[in-house]
């Protein structure tokens, strides 16, 4: 069993990962608590960003040193970008600072839901893939958008569970199942809106390859404990999926054998 | 010369992006730069001239989701 789980690695852009829980690094009460949470969940990939800073770059340098000490692989994002140009430039800046071709590509199209602008996303992904980036596109469950992203050179998809920071879990399970079924061999990471370990487990039971969580862990009463809960949920969901889930049915089906039941020859009153 | 640095108007003496970073006391470490929404590589900063009204972005690593 142990050996079997060791072989169950997720490979994205040629990188084999043992942990299927990716974590954001924002909104933690302190850098120390972020470190504890990453360690407690054995997270291997953590998202980071680039932002303006007026202090001569020193706070940024401190944060970058903390991340390097954690020993995680970074996945820089283009969070908050509203246009293709903004997203492409931010990605280019991130590649130089973080020294990785990985980019979690966000092109936001709508303010209330922070819904991805899939048209801009496909365009930006095409540009970045041509520039040698390995793009992780933050997208919706839209099948056509997914097709276009793969055609643009993406080797992984990151559909939303529900709007960023909402904690609503899997808002559209039917569409997510369709996405999974249409692209059985593409690594798909459910990102955004995951509010509880049970949401993460549900995504994994559907056959998704990984889950990315930030707010639910960072804003928990005890982030390190919640990180551990998420790691367990992701692992449980993954093992459950691989074990083969039973199909739900409308009518009861006795689990204990019916034949040989005592008193079965007595007429019921 | 007046330029915009991270959205704020600044009167600066620097004639290049590289000189601007030194003038504003940015360390040479983990920063990335853009001029008028175009990425400027670290190696190109000292040969990138600034002109009146330019918009400079100086970004640093931060927490992200």
């Amino acid at each position: 069993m142990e050996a079997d789980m060791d072989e169950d690695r997720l490979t994205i852009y040629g990188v084999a990962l043992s942990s299927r829980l990716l974590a954001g690094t924002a909104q933690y009460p302190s850098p120390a608590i972020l470190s504890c949470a990453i360690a407690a969940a054995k997270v291997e990939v953590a998202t980071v960003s680039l932002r303006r800073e007026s202090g001569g770059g020193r706070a940024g340098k401190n944060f970058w040193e903390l991340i390097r000490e954690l020993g995680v692989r970074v996945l820089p994002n283009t969070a908050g970008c509203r246009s293709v140009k903004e997203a492409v430039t931010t990605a280019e800046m991130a590649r130089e600072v973080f020294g990785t071709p990985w980019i979690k590509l966000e092109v936001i199209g709508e303010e209330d839901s922070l819904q991805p602008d899939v048209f801009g996303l496909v365009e930006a992904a095409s540009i970045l893939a041509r520039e040698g980036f390995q793009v992780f596109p933050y997208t919706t469950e839209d099948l056509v958008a997914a097709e276009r992203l793969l055609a643009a050179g993406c080797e992984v998809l990151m559909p939303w569970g529900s709007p960023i920071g909402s904690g609503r879990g899997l808002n559209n399970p039917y569409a997510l199942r369709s996405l999974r079924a249409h692209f059985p061999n593409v690594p798909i990471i459910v990102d955004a809106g995951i509010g509880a370990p049970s949401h993460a487990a549900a995504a994994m039971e559907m056959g998704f390859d990984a889950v990315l969580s930030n707010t639910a862990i960072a804003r928990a009463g005890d982030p390190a404990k919640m990180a551990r809960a998420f790691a367990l949920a992701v692992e449980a969901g993954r093992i459950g999926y691989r074990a083969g889930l039973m199909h739900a049915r409308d009518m009861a089906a006795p689990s204990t054998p019916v034949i040989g039941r005592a008193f079965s020859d007595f007429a019921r009153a | 010369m007046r330029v915009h640095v991270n959205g704020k108007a600044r009167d600066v003496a620097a004639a290049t992006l590289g000189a601007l970073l030194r003038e504003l006391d940015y360390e040479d470490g983990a920063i990335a730069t853009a001029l008028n929404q175009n990425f400027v590589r670290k190696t190109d900063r000292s040969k990138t001239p600034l002109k009146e009204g330019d918009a400079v972005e100086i970004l640093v690593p931060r927490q992200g989701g």
Side-chain angles (χ1 to χ4, degrees), chain A residues 24-26 47-54 56-58 60-61 63-64 77 85 89 92-93 96-98 104 106 214, chain B residues 6-7 24-27 30-34 36-43 45 57-65:
Chain A
T25 56
T47 51
V48 293
S49 73
L50 282 178
R51 286 291 181 264
R52 290 170 167 175
E53 190 198 272
S54 55
R58 282 169 283 279
K61 194 174 163 192
F63 173 69
W64 186 212
N77 68 29
K85 178 69 178 169
T89 301
E92 291 167 338
M93 296 169 88
E96 183 180 74
V97 168
F98 294 112
K104 178 183 153 183
E106 288 184 33
N214 191 159
Chain B
N6 288 346
L24 299 180
D25 197 28
Y26 272 87
E27 291 183 0
I31 60 169
T33 51
N36 300 325
Q37 285 203 13
N38 292 306
F39 171 53
V40 180
R41 286 179 181 78
K42 188 175 183 176
T43 50
R45 288 174 194 156
E57 293 285 342
I58 305 168
L59 304 187
V60 298
R62 290 291 285 272
Q63 296 82 350

Side-chain angles (χ1 to χ4, degrees), chain A residues 75-98:
Chain A
L75 175 56
N77 68 29
T78 64
C81 289
R82 260 71 178 170
S83 70
V84 172
K85 178 69 178 169
E86 283 178 27
V88 167
T89 301
T90 302
E92 291 167 338
M93 296 169 88
R95 178 164 63 176
E96 183 180 74
V97 168
F98 294 112

Side-chain angles (χ1 to χ4, degrees), chain A residues 130-161:
Chain A
R130 281 198 299 275
E131 290 184 13
F133 282 87
Q134 295 173 336
V135 179
F136 293 60
Y138 173 59
T139 186
T140 66
E141 316 90 337
D142 191 290
L143 299 177
V144 180
E147 287 278 9
R148 300 284 163 86
L149 289 166
L150 297 174
C154 298
E155 295 182 13
V156 58
L157 297 169
M158 295 185 84
W160 61 353

